[in-house]
Amino acid sequence: MPTVDQLFPTVRTARDAANLIAPALRSLKVEKLVVLHLDGARRLLGLMEGPAEAPAGASLPIRAVVADALRFESAAIVIGHNHPSGDPAPSRADIEATRRLATVLAELEIALHDHLIFTASDVCSFRALGLL
């Protein structure tokens, strides 16, 4: 029988989040968004995947992310998306959209713990870069 930790893993670090998100993103040829919804103890409430976007880039659907966070009653979220180009560095659009999302979430008392960008072999953390 699975334990509570197996059913609802705790996301304490960027590595914990990356381990949950990476399988959904690593091999894709188009950008895709994944959102981890967490409770106050950082236990996973749900994982939502956004639609795959055109190869030129993925948009951050702030309304949909917030609606899901409210539905899950999330205390916090971690977002991740991939860069099929192989460059894990955040784009200006990634930075601006993440800041907008963080502002909206903060008004609702929901924390944005991190935004991770994945390539086939690397992951980049906004938090580690000082962007959150």
Side-chain angles (χ1 to χ4, degrees):
M1 176 172 243
T3 66
V4 171
D5 287 337
Q6 290 169 324
L7 293 173
F8 304 100
T10 302
V11 180
R12 290 186 177 89
T13 66
R15 177 58 41 212
D16 293 340
N19 289 339
L20 291 168
I21 297 171
L25 299 179
R26 289 260 188 218
S27 63
L28 297 177
K29 302 294 184 222
V30 295
E31 287 193 21
K32 186 173 186 175
L33 176 73
V34 173
V35 182
L36 300 179
H37 294 274
L38 310 173
D39 69 10
R42 293 186 179 224
R43 286 185 303 262
L44 183 65
L45 297 169
L47 181 151
M48 299 300 292
E49 294 185 28
E53 299 290 338
S59 61
L60 182 56
I62 292 175
R63 226 180 244 222
V65 171
V66 170
D68 285 342
L70 293 171
R71 187 168 48 85
F72 278 108
E73 297 184 13
S74 304
I77 67 169
V78 175
I79 61 173
H81 80 279
N82 61 320
H83 278 181
S85 68
D87 181 2
S91 67
R92 167 114 1 248
D94 291 336
I95 294 168
E96 290 172 1
T98 302
R99 287 184 178 152
R100 282 193 310 273
L101 177 62
T103 299
V104 171
L105 290 170
E107 289 295 320
L108 299 169
E109 298 178 349
I110 301 169
L112 176 58
H113 285 318
D114 212 338
H115 180 166
L116 304 174
I117 299 176
F118 294 82
T119 65
S121 61
D122 202 3
V123 63
C124 177
S125 162
F126 273 54
R127 176 97 31 217
L129 292 174
L131 296 172
L132 274 177

